[in-house]
Amino acid sequence: MRLTTALMLAALAWAAVPSRSVVVATTMDVGADLPVDRPIYQQAGPHKKEKPPKPTAPPNRVQDLLAPPVPQPELYGKPLPSRSDSVVFVLDISGSMAWEDAPYTDLTGAVQTGPRMARARVALQRGILSLRDGWRFNVVAYDHTIKQLWPELVRSSEASRQGACAWVAQLHPGGSTATGPAVAQALWCDRTNMLVVLVSDGAPNVGVSPDDGSPACAAAHRQMIRFYNTQKATVDVFGISATGAMRQFCLDVAAENRGAFTDVR
């Protein structure tokens, strides 16, 4: 009963968030209930609201069958099919993402060594660059606060992809882990979007009561994600070196939201 009441209060608070508000992040108070701030929108270069596309001629079904398949965007080498030709990427930038140095290949092809955050940044940049023109996308990053790149999904183009990659490059790890509110924000920001991709190293510990990283805390975050997924979107989860309860949380989020879980480093 307490879990349901806490979740409904959290949901009502998040539903009241205006899509274009800008709020300064709070300071983390270790040991206390940590608030999860409203998203901070950070524009990556100029963006104009697009006009609706003009009507086109009826499709040529025979020609469509003979045409080669259109490449899907990828993350960690895995295709990302979307029923809406759109995606919101959600990147965990909590403190644990600074752990575990390991080798990886950067965007220039050079081999580097770095923590989970460095490896995840490059993987996400590759995923963004794989988006074909015309797809719509956005990026959400979170620790105990939430940052959203644009107030709304934008069309993929050379300019928007490069702007998003530059924004991702300046993200750094720190803070606690509010996975439920971050994924809820990704689902809420555009109800026509049918694909959310979460990149995280494990279980949440703030943002939905109880704020203690316990199984009850993980269950509350999962329930919040299901509550906000009214459009029945797919939530794919990539778990970075996730083990034990952290890996199970990632598996459960994917399974409960029509998605797939993938182990990555």
Side-chain angles (χ1 to χ4, degrees), residues 90-175:
V90 182
L91 179 61
D92 181 348
I93 59 170
S94 62
S96 59
M97 291 291 284
W99 299 353
E100 191 190 40
D101 282 357
Y104 67 98
T105 304
D106 67 18
L107 293 179
T108 69
V111 177
Q112 307 284 353
T113 299
R116 296 171 184 174
M117 186 76 248
R119 305 195 304 270
R121 274 196 304 254
V122 170
L124 180 53
Q125 288 170 326
R126 286 198 176 99
I128 291 168
L129 293 173
S130 75
L131 292 167
R132 68 177 185 269
D133 286 355
W135 267 54
R136 296 179 305 127
F137 76 105
N138 209 339
V139 185
V140 171
Y142 72 97
D143 46 19
H144 58 283
T145 62
I146 297 173
K147 302 175 178 67
Q148 184 171 306
L149 175 54
W150 292 297
E152 58 191 17
L153 274 67
V154 305
R155 295 284 175 184
S156 174
S157 65
E158 182 64 22
S160 64
R161 291 189 294 268
Q162 292 297 333
C165 285
W167 187 78
V168 169
Q170 53 80 43
L171 296 172
H172 296 284

Side-chain angles (χ1 to χ4, degrees), residues 200-202 237-239 242 245-255 261:
S200 175
D201 66 349
V237 184
F238 292 82
M246 296 181 288
R247 185 175 186 273
Q248 189 60 51
F249 172 77
C250 295
L251 281 164
D252 290 341
V253 169
F261 170 77

Side-chain angles (χ1 to χ4, degrees), residues 211-227:
D211 289 339
D212 57 7
S214 66
C217 175
H221 282 257
R222 287 165 42 209
Q223 189 172 353
M224 177 177 244
I225 292 169
R226 294 195 305 272
F227 179 86

Side-chain angles (χ1 to χ4, degrees), residues 1-257:
M1 185 66 180
R2 290 181 180 176
L3 174 61
T4 303
T5 303
L7 178 63
M8 291 303 296
L9 290 173
L12 290 171
W14 273 82
V17 176
S19 62
R20 292 179 180 273
S21 61
V22 179
V23 179
V24 178
T26 60
T27 301
M28 182 174 64
D29 181 8
V30 178
D33 287 343
L34 299 177
V36 177
D37 294 328
R38 301 175 182 183
I40 301 171
Y41 303 121
Q42 300 185 343
Q43 190 80 12
H47 168 61
K48 296 181 179 179
K49 192 174 182 65
E50 288 113 355
K51 297 179 180 179
K54 295 181 179 179
T56 57
N60 185 326
R61 298 302 180 190
V62 174
Q63 187 176 11
D64 289 347
L65 290 172
L66 296 176
V70 177
Q72 297 286 346
E74 295 184 348
L75 189 64
Y76 291 99
K78 181 179 179 180
L80 299 175
S82 171
R83 288 167 282 160
S84 55
D85 284 350
S86 62
V87 60
V88 178
F89 296 103
V90 182
L91 179 61
D92 181 348
I93 59 170
S94 62
S96 59
M97 291 291 284
W99 299 353
E100 191 190 40
D101 282 357
Y104 67 98
T105 304
D106 67 18
L107 293 179
T108 69
V111 177
Q112 307 284 353
T113 299
R116 296 171 184 174
M117 186 76 248
R119 305 195 304 270
R121 274 196 304 254
V122 170
L124 180 53
Q125 288 170 326
R126 286 198 176 99
I128 291 168
L129 293 173
S130 75
L131 292 167
R132 68 177 185 269
D133 286 355
W135 267 54
R136 296 179 305 127
F137 76 105
N138 209 339
V139 185
V140 171
Y142 72 97
D143 46 19
H144 58 283
T145 62
I146 297 173
K147 302 175 178 67
Q148 184 171 306
L149 175 54
W150 292 297
E152 58 191 17
L153 274 67
V154 305
R155 295 284 175 184
S156 174
S157 65
E158 182 64 22
S160 64
R161 291 189 294 268
Q162 292 297 333
C165 285
W167 187 78
V168 169
Q170 53 80 43
L171 296 172
H172 296 284
S176 300
T177 313
T179 306
V183 177
Q185 172 63 25
L187 290 163
W188 177 82
C189 72
D190 189 324
R191 291 299 192 185
T192 67
N193 174 55
M194 299 302 288
L195 178 62
V196 171
V197 176
L198 170 64
V199 181
S200 175
D201 66 349
N205 52 25
V206 295
V208 182
S209 183
D211 289 339
D212 57 7
S214 66
C217 175
H221 282 257
R222 287 165 42 209
Q223 189 172 353
M224 177 177 244
I225 292 169
R226 294 195 305 272
F227 179 86
Y228 270 85
N229 194 3
T230 57
Q231 67 262 52
K232 303 186 186 307
T234 296
V235 180
D236 286 336
V237 184
F238 292 82
I240 303 176
S241 302
T243 59
M246 296 181 288
R247 185 175 186 273
Q248 189 60 51
F249 172 77
C250 295
L251 281 164
D252 290 341
V253 169
E256 292 167 356
N257 294 277

